[in-house]
Amino acid sequence: YGVFRYRLLASALIDMEKVYLHLPDPVLVIDERGKLGGYNHAAKNAFFFSVSSLGRTLQELIPGLPEQKEEFEFVNMAGVSRFFEFSIRPIGKGQDHHGQVLFFRDVTDHKENAKRLSENMEFRSRLMTLIAHDMFGHVQNQARLSEVLRDGVPLESKELADLLSTSTQASRDFMGNILS
């Protein structure tokens, strides 16, 4: 970016080769007329650019590219989707505007991981709801049974029956809270 902004290209060819061309993320250089003036290897591979791409507008080369910085989906000729975030930096200041540099960041893997995580969390939530619902039915039945037993036991076993009834009611209330 600095090389283009301060027109240091003639004195920094080796640095340009090391930094600009070998960045892992796509970088595009747009001239003052809005045409593609250069791209790095990552941009060539991501967007399938060739020498004939130079001098064409971004809308021709990357259909669907938003005009402002935001995430967008690029579907290549093979139908494979990639998601990118991008930012735009001007080359030059004020009246001395010589174009723009577009920096892209491939976020496809991040989006896929977030989707898998979301699906995993949804599955766990459904599983826990199912288990809690089934357990609640059993605990509910135990609570009713313990109440019936408590009312029908002899006086000497009344304390144990009360303990059983209290315990199953607490379990029932706990499972009800989990379901809520």
Side-chain angles (χ1 to χ4, degrees):
Y1 169 68
V3 169
F4 290 105
R5 181 176 182 147
Y6 298 107
R7 295 183 175 243
L8 301 173
L9 191 58
S11 64
L13 290 175
I14 294 172
D15 289 338
M16 181 182 159
E17 175 70 24
K18 288 180 180 174
V19 176
Y20 168 70
L21 292 178
H22 293 291
L23 281 173
D25 291 321
V27 178
L28 307 179
V29 179
I30 308 303
D31 65 19
E32 60 274 357
R33 298 169 304 161
K35 310 265 183 184
L36 182 64
Y39 54 86
N40 68 354
H41 294 299
K44 177 182 178 182
N45 294 335
F47 303 119
F48 299 98
F49 287 163
S50 66
V51 176
S52 64
S53 303
L54 294 173
R56 295 175 62 193
T57 66
L58 281 181
Q59 291 306 321
E60 292 176 275
L61 297 169
I62 308 174
L65 180 68
E67 300 213 4
Q68 298 180 26
K69 176 185 173 181
E70 63 183 65
E71 187 177 290
F72 75 99
E73 179 181 14
F74 177 74
V75 181
N76 65 23
M77 293 174 271
V80 176
S81 291
R82 303 293 298 174
F83 292 90
F84 294 94
E85 291 178 347
F86 77 99
S87 61
I88 302 171
R89 300 282 188 257
I91 301 172
K93 290 184 178 181
Q95 298 293 339
D96 193 28
H97 180 70
H98 301 289
Q100 301 172 323
V101 177
L102 277 71
F103 298 95
F104 292 83
R105 186 171 152 240
D106 190 340
V107 293
T108 305
D109 292 338
H110 175 73
K111 285 189 75 72
E112 289 173 357
N113 288 339
K115 181 181 175 186
R116 279 196 302 271
L117 181 61
S118 175
E119 289 171 353
N120 189 1
M121 294 300 289
E122 186 178 324
F123 171 76
R124 285 182 180 197
S125 176
R126 279 188 272 153
L127 182 64
M128 289 302 293
T129 301
L130 196 95
I131 290 170
H133 186 269
D134 287 351
M135 286 297 295
F136 184 72
H138 293 299
V139 171
Q140 184 82 4
N141 290 337
Q142 289 174 355
R144 286 185 191 140
L145 181 61
S146 68
E147 288 173 16
V148 169
L149 287 174
R150 184 185 63 196
D151 294 339
V153 295
L155 192 56
E156 59 273 0
S157 301
K158 193 76 163 165
E159 188 177 321
L160 290 174
D162 285 341
L163 183 62
L164 177 64
S165 179
T166 304
S167 175
T168 55
Q169 286 176 3
S171 295
R172 182 188 62 197
D173 293 344
F174 177 71
M175 292 302 290
N177 288 339
I178 290 175
L179 280 174
S180 296

